[in-house]
Amino acid sequence: MLLPCTQVVARERDMPEAQVTQKFSTLCMLLPDLPRVKVANLIRASVNAADAAETLLVLREALPHANVSKLVAGHPELLQLGVPQLYNNLACVSDTLSRSGCPPEEWQALLEQAPYLADPCQLQATMGEIARLFGAAAAGEGQAARLLIMQPDLALSCEGLIKIPNNDPGDTYLTGEALPFRADS
């Protein structure tokens, strides 16, 4: 099962295939939840095992109430962020959710359930969409954060809207207004 992926990554990184396979095995031992992730992404992350290990240490230090293995399995891109960027992202997320009155154990559990919210842009967009959908905008981001903490699955409802590219017609696309049709056709 790993053979084609390890061959591709070995060529990408100009490394021996056996070394790529060994690094992947090491990463899987460190993170038991990883088998749920796309294999090629994991193998790419495992090639920089030292960086991945440092990232894991940063995550464990910054998120003591979260299952880091589950977090990384849900958002493997975290392993490819540099440590300074990871610190910055976690500080922004922590600040946003703590400012909303959420205790660390609650917002860290949220990240475990919806790991892509470790990206501050995704978090802000999700909270904004929840505020818009539930009329919490007047109450501020605190109300949206509390709704998100109480029902982490709300984040999944917003995910598709967040990832619409900026050049997409947005709301008009969703309502059909951007697709003019003629009654005579």
Side-chain angles (χ1 to χ4, degrees), residues 136-158:
E141 67 181 19
Q143 182 63 28
R146 283 187 284 286
L147 285 169
L148 194 53
I149 294 285
M150 290 186 316
Q151 294 185 322
D153 289 344
L154 288 174
L156 298 174
S157 302
C158 299

PDB file of all heavy atoms in Angstrom, residues 136-158:
ATOM      1  N   ALA A 136     -25.751  36.017  16.138  1.00  0.00           N
ATOM      2  CA  ALA A 136     -24.910  36.308  17.291  1.00  0.00           C
ATOM      3  C   ALA A 136     -23.983  37.488  17.026  1.00  0.00           C
ATOM      4  O   ALA A 136     -23.206  37.867  17.889  1.00  0.00           O
ATOM      5  CB  ALA A 136     -24.085  35.074  17.663  1.00  0.00           C
ATOM      6  N   ALA A 137     -24.070  38.087  15.841  1.00  0.00           N
ATOM      7  CA  ALA A 137     -23.159  39.177  15.485  1.00  0.00           C
ATOM      8  C   ALA A 137     -23.284  40.336  16.454  1.00  0.00           C
ATOM      9  O   ALA A 137     -22.290  40.967  16.823  1.00  0.00           O
ATOM     10  CB  ALA A 137     -23.417  39.635  14.054  1.00  0.00           C
ATOM     11  N   ALA A 138     -24.495  40.628  16.885  1.00  0.00           N
ATOM     12  CA  ALA A 138     -24.696  41.748  17.805  1.00  0.00           C
ATOM     13  C   ALA A 138     -24.042  41.470  19.156  1.00  0.00           C
ATOM     14  O   ALA A 138     -23.594  42.383  19.837  1.00  0.00           O
ATOM     15  CB  ALA A 138     -26.190  42.014  17.981  1.00  0.00           C
ATOM     16  N   ALA A 139     -23.984  40.207  19.554  1.00  0.00           N
ATOM     17  CA  ALA A 139     -23.392  39.850  20.843  1.00  0.00           C
ATOM     18  C   ALA A 139     -21.873  39.754  20.762  1.00  0.00           C
ATOM     19  O   ALA A 139     -21.214  39.626  21.777  1.00  0.00           O
ATOM     20  CB  ALA A 139     -23.969  38.531  21.319  1.00  0.00           C
ATOM     21  N   GLY A 140     -21.312  39.798  19.560  1.00  0.00           N
ATOM     22  CA  GLY A 140     -19.867  39.744  19.394  1.00  0.00           C
ATOM     23  C   GLY A 140     -19.347  38.332  19.209  1.00  0.00           C
ATOM     24  O   GLY A 140     -20.105  37.356  19.207  1.00  0.00           O
ATOM     25  N   GLU A 141     -18.023  38.244  19.094  1.00  0.00           N
ATOM     26  CA  GLU A 141     -17.408  36.945  18.818  1.00  0.00           C
ATOM     27  C   GLU A 141     -17.515  36.001  20.010  1.00  0.00           C
ATOM     28  O   GLU A 141     -17.431  34.798  19.855  1.00  0.00           O
ATOM     29  CB  GLU A 141     -15.954  37.105  18.372  1.00  0.00           C
ATOM     30  CG  GLU A 141     -15.011  37.615  19.411  1.00  0.00           C
ATOM     31  CD  GLU A 141     -13.587  37.778  18.887  1.00  0.00           C
ATOM     32  OE1 GLU A 141     -13.390  37.847  17.671  1.00  0.00           O
ATOM     33  OE2 GLU A 141     -12.698  37.842  19.729  1.00  0.00           O
ATOM     34  N   GLY A 142     -17.727  36.535  21.213  1.00  0.00           N
ATOM     35  CA  GLY A 142     -17.865  35.689  22.391  1.00  0.00           C
ATOM     36  C   GLY A 142     -19.034  34.730  22.268  1.00  0.00           C
ATOM     37  O   GLY A 142     -18.924  33.553  22.598  1.00  0.00           O
ATOM     38  N   GLN A 143     -20.165  35.226  21.789  1.00  0.00           N
ATOM     39  CA  GLN A 143     -21.349  34.375  21.628  1.00  0.00           C
ATOM     40  C   GLN A 143     -21.109  33.314  20.556  1.00  0.00           C
ATOM     41  O   GLN A 143     -21.470  32.148  20.732  1.00  0.00           O
ATOM     42  CB  GLN A 143     -22.577  35.221  21.269  1.00  0.00           C
ATOM     43  CG  GLN A 143     -23.851  34.432  21.130  1.00  0.00           C
ATOM     44  CD  GLN A 143     -24.275  33.759  22.428  1.00  0.00           C
ATOM     45  OE1 GLN A 143     -23.973  34.211  23.523  1.00  0.00           O
ATOM     46  NE2 GLN A 143     -24.979  32.655  22.307  1.00  0.00           N
ATOM     47  N   ALA A 144     -20.492  33.714  19.459  1.00  0.00           N
ATOM     48  CA  ALA A 144     -20.193  32.748  18.396  1.00  0.00           C
ATOM     49  C   ALA A 144     -19.231  31.681  18.908  1.00  0.00           C
ATOM     50  O   ALA A 144     -19.396  30.490  18.611  1.00  0.00           O
ATOM     51  CB  ALA A 144     -19.606  33.466  17.183  1.00  0.00           C
ATOM     52  N   ALA A 145     -18.231  32.092  19.681  1.00  0.00           N
ATOM     53  CA  ALA A 145     -17.274  31.122  20.231  1.00  0.00           C
ATOM     54  C   ALA A 145     -17.970  30.158  21.181  1.00  0.00           C
ATOM     55  O   ALA A 145     -17.710  28.955  21.154  1.00  0.00           O
ATOM     56  CB  ALA A 145     -16.141  31.847  20.946  1.00  0.00           C
ATOM     57  N   ARG A 146     -18.863  30.658  22.015  1.00  0.00           N
ATOM     58  CA  ARG A 146     -19.579  29.779  22.947  1.00  0.00           C
ATOM     59  C   ARG A 146     -20.465  28.779  22.198  1.00  0.00           C
ATOM     60  O   ARG A 146     -20.549  27.604  22.560  1.00  0.00           O
ATOM     61  CB  ARG A 146     -20.374  30.600  23.957  1.00  0.00           C
ATOM     62  CG  ARG A 146     -19.479  31.193  25.051  1.00  0.00           C
ATOM     63  CD  ARG A 146     -20.260  31.861  26.162  1.00  0.00           C
ATOM     64  NE  ARG A 146     -20.792  33.176  25.803  1.00  0.00           N
ATOM     65  CZ  ARG A 146     -20.068  34.290  25.686  1.00  0.00           C
ATOM     66  NH1 ARG A 146     -18.776  34.243  25.899  1.00  0.00           N
ATOM     67  NH2 ARG A 146     -20.622  35.435  25.368  1.00  0.00           N
ATOM     68  N   LEU A 147     -21.124  29.243  21.134  1.00  0.00           N
ATOM     69  CA  LEU A 147     -21.924  28.330  20.318  1.00  0.00           C
ATOM     70  C   LEU A 147     -21.041  27.238  19.703  1.00  0.00           C
ATOM     71  O   LEU A 147     -21.405  26.064  19.673  1.00  0.00           O
ATOM     72  CB  LEU A 147     -22.645  29.086  19.210  1.00  0.00           C
ATOM     73  CG  LEU A 147     -23.856  29.912  19.615  1.00  0.00           C
ATOM     74  CD1 LEU A 147     -24.293  30.820  18.469  1.00  0.00           C
ATOM     75  CD2 LEU A 147     -24.996  29.001  20.027  1.00  0.00           C
ATOM     76  N   LEU A 148     -19.883  27.646  19.231  1.00  0.00           N
ATOM     77  CA  LEU A 148     -18.950  26.710  18.607  1.00  0.00           C
ATOM     78  C   LEU A 148     -18.416  25.706  19.628  1.00  0.00           C
ATOM     79  O   LEU A 148     -18.313  24.516  19.335  1.00  0.00           O
ATOM     80  CB  LEU A 148     -17.796  27.496  17.978  1.00  0.00           C
ATOM     81  CG  LEU A 148     -16.875  26.819  17.005  1.00  0.00           C
ATOM     82  CD1 LEU A 148     -17.649  26.151  15.883  1.00  0.00           C
ATOM     83  CD2 LEU A 148     -15.893  27.821  16.443  1.00  0.00           C
ATOM     84  N   ILE A 149     -18.124  26.167  20.836  1.00  0.00           N
ATOM     85  CA  ILE A 149     -17.631  25.282  21.891  1.00  0.00           C
ATOM     86  C   ILE A 149     -18.709  24.269  22.275  1.00  0.00           C
ATOM     87  O   ILE A 149     -18.433  23.081  22.459  1.00  0.00           O
ATOM     88  CB  ILE A 149     -17.208  26.098  23.139  1.00  0.00           C
ATOM     89  CG1 ILE A 149     -16.001  26.987  22.833  1.00  0.00           C
ATOM     90  CG2 ILE A 149     -16.945  25.194  24.334  1.00  0.00           C
ATOM     91  CD1 ILE A 149     -14.682  26.297  22.728  1.00  0.00           C
ATOM     92  N   MET A 150     -19.960  24.739  22.381  1.00  0.00           N
ATOM     93  CA  MET A 150     -21.055  23.845  22.777  1.00  0.00           C
ATOM     94  C   MET A 150     -21.379  22.828  21.688  1.00  0.00           C
ATOM     95  O   MET A 150     -21.775  21.704  21.989  1.00  0.00           O
ATOM     96  CB  MET A 150     -22.313  24.650  23.119  1.00  0.00           C
ATOM     97  CG  MET A 150     -22.180  25.436  24.413  1.00  0.00           C
ATOM     98  SD  MET A 150     -23.687  26.269  24.976  1.00  0.00           S
ATOM     99  CE  MET A 150     -24.358  26.998  23.511  1.00  0.00           C
ATOM    100  N   GLN A 151     -21.221  23.221  20.419  1.00  0.00           N
ATOM    101  CA  GLN A 151     -21.535  22.330  19.304  1.00  0.00           C
ATOM    102  C   GLN A 151     -20.437  22.418  18.243  1.00  0.00           C
ATOM    103  O   GLN A 151     -20.578  23.112  17.241  1.00  0.00           O
ATOM    104  CB  GLN A 151     -22.876  22.704  18.691  1.00  0.00           C
ATOM    105  CG  GLN A 151     -24.041  22.474  19.613  1.00  0.00           C
ATOM    106  CD  GLN A 151     -25.357  22.741  18.910  1.00  0.00           C
ATOM    107  OE1 GLN A 151     -25.467  23.658  18.111  1.00  0.00           O
ATOM    108  NE2 GLN A 151     -26.346  21.932  19.215  1.00  0.00           N
ATOM    109  N   PRO A 152     -19.325  21.708  18.453  1.00  0.00           N
ATOM    110  CA  PRO A 152     -18.209  21.762  17.507  1.00  0.00           C
ATOM    111  C   PRO A 152     -18.605  21.389  16.077  1.00  0.00           C
ATOM    112  O   PRO A 152     -17.967  21.831  15.122  1.00  0.00           O
ATOM    113  CB  PRO A 152     -17.198  20.764  18.068  1.00  0.00           C
ATOM    114  CG  PRO A 152     -17.562  20.609  19.493  1.00  0.00           C
ATOM    115  CD  PRO A 152     -19.041  20.852  19.592  1.00  0.00           C
ATOM    116  N   ASP A 153     -19.666  20.603  15.914  1.00  0.00           N
ATOM    117  CA  ASP A 153     -20.093  20.217  14.568  1.00  0.00           C
ATOM    118  C   ASP A 153     -20.558  21.413  13.746  1.00  0.00           C
ATOM    119  O   ASP A 153     -20.640  21.329  12.517  1.00  0.00           O
ATOM    120  CB  ASP A 153     -21.199  19.170  14.629  1.00  0.00           C
ATOM    121  CG  ASP A 153     -20.681  17.820  15.103  1.00  0.00           C
ATOM    122  OD1 ASP A 153     -19.459  17.612  15.086  1.00  0.00           O
ATOM    123  OD2 ASP A 153     -21.506  16.980  15.501  1.00  0.00           O
ATOM    124  N   LEU A 154     -20.858  22.522  14.402  1.00  0.00           N
ATOM    125  CA  LEU A 154     -21.226  23.736  13.659  1.00  0.00           C
ATOM    126  C   LEU A 154     -20.092  24.162  12.732  1.00  0.00           C
ATOM    127  O   LEU A 154     -20.331  24.702  11.667  1.00  0.00           O
ATOM    128  CB  LEU A 154     -21.560  24.888  14.615  1.00  0.00           C
ATOM    129  CG  LEU A 154     -22.866  24.793  15.380  1.00  0.00           C
ATOM    130  CD1 LEU A 154     -22.970  25.943  16.376  1.00  0.00           C
ATOM    131  CD2 LEU A 154     -24.042  24.811  14.420  1.00  0.00           C
ATOM    132  N   ALA A 155     -18.876  23.911  13.150  1.00  0.00           N
ATOM    133  CA  ALA A 155     -17.718  24.278  12.326  1.00  0.00           C
ATOM    134  C   ALA A 155     -17.765  23.549  10.991  1.00  0.00           C
ATOM    135  O   ALA A 155     -17.409  24.116   9.951  1.00  0.00           O
ATOM    136  CB  ALA A 155     -16.420  23.971  13.065  1.00  0.00           C
ATOM    137  N   LEU A 156     -18.215  22.315  11.006  1.00  0.00           N
ATOM    138  CA  LEU A 156     -18.299  21.547   9.764  1.00  0.00           C
ATOM    139  C   LEU A 156     -19.348  22.132   8.826  1.00  0.00           C
ATOM    140  O   LEU A 156     -19.204  22.063   7.610  1.00  0.00           O
ATOM    141  CB  LEU A 156     -18.626  20.085  10.065  1.00  0.00           C
ATOM    142  CG  LEU A 156     -17.585  19.344  10.895  1.00  0.00           C
ATOM    143  CD1 LEU A 156     -18.089  17.952  11.244  1.00  0.00           C
ATOM    144  CD2 LEU A 156     -16.265  19.283  10.174  1.00  0.00           C
ATOM    145  N   SER A 157     -20.383  22.729   9.386  1.00  0.00           N
ATOM    146  CA  SER A 157     -21.422  23.355   8.563  1.00  0.00           C
ATOM    147  C   SER A 157     -20.893  24.572   7.835  1.00  0.00           C
ATOM    148  O   SER A 157     -21.396  24.949   6.790  1.00  0.00           O
ATOM    149  CB  SER A 157     -22.605  23.776   9.433  1.00  0.00           C
ATOM    150  OG  SER A 157     -23.130  22.668  10.103  1.00  0.00           O
ATOM    151  N   CYS A 158     -19.877  25.191   8.398  1.00  0.00           N
ATOM    152  CA  CYS A 158     -19.322  26.417   7.813  1.00  0.00           C
ATOM    153  C   CYS A 158     -18.137  26.140   6.904  1.00  0.00           C
ATOM    154  O   CYS A 158     -17.765  26.985   6.118  1.00  0.00           O
ATOM    155  CB  CYS A 158     -18.866  27.362   8.921  1.00  0.00           C
ATOM    156  SG  CYS A 158     -20.193  27.872  10.009  1.00  0.00           S
TER     157      CYS A 158
END
